[in-house]
Every structure is written in C-alpha cells, then in structure tokens.
Amino acid sequence: MDFSKKILQLKKKKNCVILAHFYQTADIQNIADFVGDSLQLSQIAAETSANIILFCGVNFMAETAKILSPDKKVLLPEPAAGCSLADSCSANDLKAFLKNYPSHTVISYVNTSVEVKALTDICCTSSNAVKIIESLPKNEKIVFLPDRNLGSYIKSITKRDDMVVWDGACHVHEEFSVEKIIELKKEYPDAKILAHPECKKTVLILADKIGSTAALLEFSKKDENDKFIVATESGILHQMQLASPNKLFIPAPPIDSTCGCNDCKYMKMVTLEKIYTTLKNENPEVIIDIELIEKAKKSILRMLEMSK
Ligand code: 13P
Ligand code: SF4
C-alpha cells in the first residue's frame, strides 16, 4: 500500500495537521505539514485551526500539544515512544528532591512528563533555555532539570554557578565519541562541528556551533562552509541535505559503532504504516486529565510568553 498517498488523502478529509520532529525518518518528514524542533512544533500546536493534530514524535511532545490544545484530538502513532531524558526524572523523585529547595524556581526542559510539568514554574527547550534563564533576576535561585549536559552548558553561558541541575541524560547525545569526532576532523579538517547542547561537555568544547536542532539547521544553511560533522540525532540530516544539496553532512560517530545510537530508538518507532492506521482509526489518542492539563499548562504558557 502507498501509505504516503493514503495519509495525504485522509489528512485533508479529516482536517488534520501532521507535525513531525526533525528526528523522524525522511519519509515521515516528507508527508508532514510542519517539520520542526520541539519549540516550533509546540507553537504550531498552540495556534492551529485543524480539528486533529497528529504528532510524529515522542510522547512528551504529543502531550505538550494536547496541553496547549486540550479541545483538539491529538493522535500519537506510537504511545510507547518515550524519551530516556524524560524517564530520568519521575514526578515522585522530583517532589522529594524539591523538598530540599523550597524557594527555588523550577525550570524544566520540555523533555519531561506532564506530571513533572505540573511541578514546574517555567518550561524551556534547547532553543530558548539560555534566554529564559537570563531573563530571571541574577539572585533568583533555580533548579534545572532533567538534562545535566544542557544544564551545565547553560551554567557556563549564564554564569549561574549556583544553579542546581538534575542528573539526567539522553541516550543518543551521551553516546557521541570525542575520540572518533577528533579522528573525523583529521580526515575532514575544514569541516565545522555542529552539536546539540544535550551532548557531553567534552563534545561541546569541540563544536563550532551549539544549538537546538532548528538552530543547527539554520547555521548549516547560512554558513559558507560546505562540510559539517553533526553531533545530534541523525534525522536532522535530511532537512540539512534538502536545504543545502551541495554540502556534505557527516553524522558524528557514537562510541560503539554497532549500536545505532545516532538514531533515537523512540523517535524511530513511528512509521508511515502506524501513522496511516492511527489517522484512519483516530486512535491512539493522547488523553490527559483536565486538572493535570491546567497545572502543567502554566509552565508551558510562561515559556511561550518569554520566547516572544
Ligand atoms: P530540540 O529542542 O532541538 O527539538 O530537541 C529535542 C530533543 O529531544 C533533543 O534530543
Ligand atoms: Fe529523548 Fe534523546 Fe530521543 Fe531527544 S533524542 S527524544 S532527548 S531520547
């Protein structure tokens, strides 16, 4: 069956908007109405006039869309598509942790469960984390979660040495090999290194550009260089290559070359076939208790307000 064709027909008939994260496979990115980073997709989810949002990404992203558009039907083709980073911080563990920091402002990366967002003062993504933290008074005490690498990067930029950072990490970004990136750079000495701030500090030190997936894509379009080593999930290479067909994009190698770690195993659970059956059956749907939505929403709306 030609799933792409069927999806495009059904989506029109049902007034459905398909949102896909940059880490989805190329065939999925090609049928989406919007492809973007987590901030861009949440902004679109908040503003869309479509009846149905079909989210090609992981659980927390579809939950964010539902929180922002609770009256719409939000479909997620693979509910088991989690996130190792979101899993590294449970709401119960966070509640216990925060007892030690009763007067701190809680800033959570959007890669968190809805329950964790309900305990959060302000959400952020990798594209606005620095801006949000810099806009707070210098003496405001902050707990940042769940990513230790993004947290340590923000600390170094904002000079907030006393910021408390949760000890979580993403299985894809932790796995890039510093030694192999250095070897690759010897092979391509004029290649620039692009890295997502979820990478370890030892990788970020080597980078010419650190940024969210959208920021790395923009940089690769505008920079006059024609070779890039890309230290983030492999899905982003599709948009980079589409935008700059004459440039060379080389995925940064993971420590274990047999593990396929450049791919987020959760993101890659979504397939065209699952998208088709999800849209046809209008199921699985993201369902969240309305009280929980109201609690979690405040932190996301604050983020969207502060990102303008
Ligand atoms: P972005 O904020 O760049 O979309 O990244 C989300 C993510 O899950 C990174 O691993
Ligand atoms: Fe989560 Fe990492 Fe996958 Fe991003 S790449 S969705 S942080 S597991």
Side-chain angles (χ1 to χ4, degrees), residues 23 58 60 83-85 111 170-173 198 264 266-267:
Y23 294 166
V58 293
F60 76 81
C83 166
S84 54
L85 195 45
N111 299 42
C170 154
H171 73 286
V172 176
H173 291 87
E198 285 174 26
C264 171
Y266 305 109
M267 285 280 181

Side-chain angles (χ1 to χ4, degrees), residues 63-83:
E63 280 184 352
T64 304
K66 182 68 185 176
I67 294 166
L68 288 168
S69 288
D71 299 333
K72 297 201 187 298
K73 190 172 262 189
V74 177
L75 303 174
L76 178 63
E78 178 47 79
C83 166

Side-chain angles (χ1 to χ4, degrees), residues 225-276:
N225 221 56
D226 66 352
K227 291 185 197 70
F228 299 91
I229 296 168
V230 185
T232 189
E233 212 269 358
S234 61
I236 187 69
L237 270 73
H238 178 57
Q239 292 299 324
M240 288 179 169
Q241 203 68 76
L242 277 181
S244 310
N246 298 324
K247 295 185 181 181
L248 178 66
F249 297 99
I250 310 152
I255 297 167
D256 173 1
S257 52
T258 61
C259 72
C261 303
N262 294 45
D263 289 332
C264 171
K265 62 182 176 191
Y266 305 109
M267 285 280 181
K268 272 26 185 200
M269 284 176 168
V270 183
T271 62
L272 279 180
E273 183 170 0
K274 287 181 192 172
I275 295 170
Y276 169 67

Side-chain angles (χ1 to χ4, degrees), residues 52 92 103 109 116 131 140 143 150-151 180 232 243 246 259 262 272 284 294 304:
I52 300 177
N92 280 342
S103 57
Y109 194 28
V116 166
K131 183 177 175 186
E140 189 153 338
V143 168
L150 178 61
K180 288 183 186 172
T232 189
N246 298 324
C259 72
N262 294 45
L272 279 180
E294 289 309 322
L304 293 178

Side-chain angles (χ1 to χ4, degrees), residues 47-66:
E47 286 160 15
T48 182
S49 59
N51 297 338
I52 300 177
I53 300 172
L54 191 146
F55 212 111
C56 305
V58 293
N59 222 314
F60 76 81
M61 294 179 175
E63 280 184 352
T64 304
K66 182 68 185 176

